[in-house]
Amino acid sequence: MSSSLRPEEVASVIQKQLQSFTEPLKLESEGTILQIGDGIARIYGLEQAMMGELLEFPPQSSGDPVYGIVLNLEEDNVAAALFSRSQHIREGDAVKRTGRIAEVPVGTAVVGRVVNAVGQPLDGKGPIAYEETHPIERIAPGVTKRQPVKEPLQTGLKSIDSMTPIGRGQRELVIGDRQTGKTALLVDTILNQKDADPPVHCIYVAVGQKQSTVAQVIKVFEDFGAMGYTTVVSATASDPAPMQYIAPYAGCAMGEYFAENGQHAAIFYDDLSKHAVAYRELSLLIRRPPGREAYPGDVFYLHSRLLERALKYSDELKGGSLTAMPVIETQAGDVSAYIPTNVISITDGQIYLESDLFYAGFRPAINVGLSVSRVGGKAQTKMMKEVAGRLRIDLAQYRELASFAQFGSDLDKATIARLTRGERLTEVLKQPQYSPMPVEEQVAVIFVAVRGFLDDIELKDVKAFETQFLPWLRGNYPQILHTLKQTKAVSDETSELLEKAVGEFKSAFVAGETSSELPTTEDKEETELPEQTVAKEETAGELHDLND
Ligand SMILES: Nc1ncnc2c1ncn2[C@@H]1O[C@H](COP(=O)(O)OP(=O)(O)OP(=O)(O)O)[C@@H](O)[C@H]1O
Ligand SMILES: [Mg+2]
């Protein structure tokens, strides 16, 4: 009973305890290796070790330290995976606890650097002058700290920004078979952040890829000046599985730093299928029971806890954001396999890439019918919303009719007009690699297409029309693009002016006067023949009707 407790007694007991206190942690901070093989060590004597804690193994002959990460806490031993090769480590060797959970350098020091999964430099540019480190694993902030996405993350790709827009803080999956342009899509998105306002720090995490592929991507970043705001975290196929396993978390910690400080960051996981495979390898080696497709039972949690860390902070917490674009590779378009369905259910939408489209020359090979963005629409600019609505409807109608039209021969006028429109829109959505487009130019081009100005242009000339139109517009009507950029809306005046500009350009284009030399405002008067313009407007009349 509490009444029988006397304070003097309690105090003396505590005092005695304190006198005999001998830092038991010190004694337990070293363990012995019971068994080692395949990069997994079982260690005895580390009862106090934490899940995810870093352990220090005997250094390599070169003197480089060897670290491992605790993955299993069992009754009489712990299992740890080593981050580097371990031929020199033997049974009975001593292992030290570090008392630290795995952490990586964060902040501006890592910008422009290529690092491995534990944040060590790989680019030969010397040590990273960091001021802060963050643990790689973090509990994702709760709902009260967040708000819905509201600013767009422009990818610079017409088909994405118009139809599956991405908001800052969103998680948008890129899914497709091998060699369908998944990496290309991410790279273009990163290149497009060059003039992003407010700026977006990019983190490209390469997991389980070939070294040469990663080197190529880095070269592109360097050539296009994207390294100024990008960090590459690389754990290639030749790196041990634990490195591949922690690389996405390490990159995420780097991105989180910016989001926490009210800035914007975007992280690209290329790709999470290989990440899951690395985790499966680890799990099987530490003898966790295999489940579906031999993945361990917690493989959903592997990705959910990672992707949950992408967010848009509330205004009270400075409103920073971390956008995540994970990649999943499918086998023969099978999106119902285990890992694809998991990641689809965790993300806010997916961009679906198809081999058939890719080989048909429709690149980026985005299936616009199957791709969705569940939250990004809220963040889309008003001007893009205005033109993209029409685009979506026209394309949906086209898809429906196109499959029919393969069989029928005599089609009515309206059907032909819809097919014509759809073919041209599809053509306009094609975009070469490394040429992301500012959103106001995308709007101008899509405006031209959905208003039917391309309907009477030969299909093979549509791409030429587009590539010549934009520089011409910049040269002759800079105010249009300027107004679009400033106001982010297509006002009636802008719309009228744009129609007038397209009309002018089109006459010159059809007359073949634009390819060799772009007409300027001064000599436009001489080159334009009023009769020609009138004649063309008549032929285009039927197609214009569709817009009404
Ligand atoms: N929009 C595009 N226009 C032209 N070529 C493209 C386009 N996008 C990608 N490619 C080309 O297609 C090839 C495959 O692209 P990429 O490597 O991005 O595909 P991936 O899906 O990432 O492949 P993997 O499965 O091997 O990772 C590359 O040679 C790339 O240059
Ligand atoms: Mg790739």
Side-chain angles (χ1 to χ4, degrees):
M1 288 295 106
S2 62
S3 60
S4 66
L5 270 181
R6 284 210 240 126
E8 309 91 79
E9 270 180 12
V10 176
S12 76
V13 168
I14 293 178
Q15 216 155 23
K16 247 189 214 161
Q17 292 256 317
L18 282 176
Q19 271 161 6
S20 60
F21 180 71
T22 48
E23 280 194 313
L25 279 177
K26 263 248 160 71
L27 292 175
E28 281 179 355
S29 67
E30 203 167 284
T32 320
I33 299 179
L34 286 177
Q35 190 190 50
I36 183 153
D38 301 318
I40 302 288
R42 287 191 179 271
I43 305 148
Y44 174 79
L46 293 181
E47 278 86 12
Q48 300 289 316
M50 299 178 282
M51 188 68 177
E53 183 175 345
L54 280 186
L55 301 179
E56 204 180 320
F57 288 82
Q60 282 169 341
S61 49
S62 59
D64 291 336
V66 175
Y67 288 102
I69 186 170
V70 176
L71 287 180
N72 256 21
L73 299 175
E74 285 163 40
E75 215 167 303
D76 53 352
N77 69 71
V78 302
L82 279 84
F83 288 134
S84 33
R85 306 280 161 220
S86 56
Q87 281 88 343
H88 66 289
I89 300 174
R90 299 272 173 268
E91 252 169 50
D93 283 356
V95 180
K96 284 195 211 123
R97 279 185 61 193
T98 60
R100 289 180 289 136
I101 298 291
E103 53 193 9
V104 284
V106 295
T108 43
V110 295
V111 174
R113 302 300 300 263
V114 180
V115 298
N116 68 9
V118 287
Q120 293 161 335
L122 296 174
D123 49 9
K125 291 186 189 159
I128 292 170
Y130 60 89
E131 285 168 1
E132 247 181 275
T133 57
H134 275 188
I136 59 169
E137 295 264 14
R138 274 273 194 92
I139 304 284
V143 279
T144 51
K145 296 187 175 160
R146 304 177 178 230
Q147 64 173 319
V149 299
K150 58 177 187 185
E151 303 116 326
L153 184 101
Q154 303 292 354
T155 63
L157 296 167
K158 280 170 282 186
S159 36
I160 297 182
D161 288 345
S162 61
M163 282 179 294
T164 43
I166 301 174
R168 293 189 181 191
Q170 188 177 343
R171 299 156 303 172
E172 183 79 4
L173 170 66
V174 178
I175 186 164
D177 280 2
R178 291 183 51 215
Q179 292 288 307
T180 47
K182 303 183 295 297
T183 304
L185 196 157
L186 301 189
V187 169
D188 281 342
T189 305
I190 293 175
L191 298 186
N192 194 48
Q193 304 314 313
K194 197 168 182 182
D195 304 313
D197 178 36
V200 177
H201 296 277
C202 297
I203 294 137
Y204 178 79
V205 184
V207 182
Q209 298 188 44
K210 283 183 295 191
Q211 300 231 10
S212 58
T213 320
V214 182
Q216 252 170 24
V217 169
I218 295 170
K219 179 152 190 317
V220 171
F221 289 159
E222 278 167 356
D223 291 350
F224 286 85
M227 272 322 258
Y229 52 87
T230 304
T231 306
V232 177
V233 180
S234 164
T236 57
S238 58
D239 285 316
M243 289 293 237
Q244 298 181 38
Y245 160 55
I246 65 165
Y249 303 100
C252 191
M254 294 175 189
E256 267 176 345
Y257 172 86
F258 296 112
E260 270 165 22
N261 289 294
Q263 300 178 35
H264 298 273
I267 183 155
F268 304 84
Y269 304 110
D270 196 3
D271 62 61
L272 290 188
S273 307
K274 298 198 184 80
H275 181 231
V277 168
Y279 186 59
R280 174 169 64 185
E281 180 184 329
L282 266 184
S283 302
L284 292 175
L285 285 172
I286 53 176
R287 300 186 187 281
R288 288 186 185 162
R292 181 173 161 192
E293 290 179 29
Y295 288 105
D298 65 342
V299 73
F300 183 85
Y301 182 54
L302 175 79
H303 292 150
S304 65
R305 73 174 192 268
L306 174 68
L307 292 169
E308 272 300 300
R309 286 162 75 181
L311 80 173
K312 166 78 185 160
Y313 271 114
S314 64
D315 289 333
E316 295 80 65
L317 293 167
K318 296 190 257 180
S321 75
L322 178 65
T323 312
M325 287 185 76
V327 171
I328 284 286
E329 185 185 296
T330 50
Q331 310 285 337
D334 181 14
V335 289
S336 58
Y338 191 24
I339 303 300
T341 44
N342 278 356
V343 182
I344 286 174
S345 71
I346 302 164
T347 46
D348 307 306
Q350 69 274 351
I351 294 166
Y352 190 60
L353 299 171
E354 269 183 3
S355 309
D356 290 350
L357 293 172
F358 189 85
Y359 295 124
F362 182 73
R363 298 177 193 177
I366 299 171
N367 181 325
V368 290
L370 291 182
S371 301
V372 287
S373 168
R374 292 189 197 100
V375 295
K378 286 202 200 83
Q380 200 173 29
T381 55
K382 192 159 170 266
M383 57 178 171
M384 190 51 110
K385 267 197 194 121
E386 280 160 357
V387 294
R390 183 78 233 173
L391 177 66
R392 203 175 283 123
I393 296 170
D394 281 353
L395 277 176
Q397 288 179 341
Y398 166 65
R399 274 197 305 276
E400 211 167 86
L401 290 174
S403 41
F404 267 127
Q406 289 175 344
F407 307 108
S409 50
D410 45 325
L411 300 164
D412 63 279
K413 247 186 186 171
T415 310
I416 294 176
R418 292 218 166 97
L419 288 172
T420 316
R421 173 71 56 84
E423 281 164 359
R424 275 140 192 85
L425 291 177
T426 312
E427 197 65 20
V428 162
L429 290 181
K430 288 183 187 170
Q431 200 166 336
Q433 238 181 321
Y434 314 132
S435 48
M437 205 183 254
V439 63
E440 64 275 8
E441 295 189 3
Q442 295 184 29
V443 170
V445 171
I446 296 173
F447 178 94
V448 170
V450 295
R451 291 289 171 105
F453 286 99
L454 300 177
D455 291 348
D456 53 348
I457 300 282
E458 290 250 13
L459 194 57
K460 63 174 175 37
D461 295 333
V462 168
K463 232 29 266 176
F465 187 100
E466 182 194 340
T467 45
Q468 292 169 28
F469 173 63
L470 284 172
W472 181 89
L473 193 66
R474 268 182 239 129
N476 293 279
Y477 288 91
Q479 69 275 32
I480 297 183
L481 293 174
H482 186 76
T483 322
L484 285 177
K485 194 173 174 178
Q486 295 301 319
T487 62
K488 300 205 172 7
V490 191
S491 65
D492 289 345
E493 297 103 86
T494 317
S495 158
E496 254 167 51
L497 194 61
L498 193 51
E499 282 192 19
K500 177 166 168 273
V502 188
E504 275 174 29
F505 174 78
K506 195 166 154 185
S507 325
F509 181 82
V510 174
E513 282 155 1
T514 54
S515 48
S516 52
E517 204 184 319
L518 300 171
T520 59
T521 332
E522 289 81 60
D523 58 29
K524 204 168 52 210
E525 257 80 73
E526 298 127 48
T527 56
E528 198 180 66
L529 298 172
E531 304 86 60
Q532 263 190 356
T533 325
V534 174
K536 260 190 310 294
E537 265 166 17
E538 275 163 11
T539 52
E542 297 160 9
L543 296 165
H544 276 294
D545 292 343
L546 266 178
N547 293 314
D548 303 329

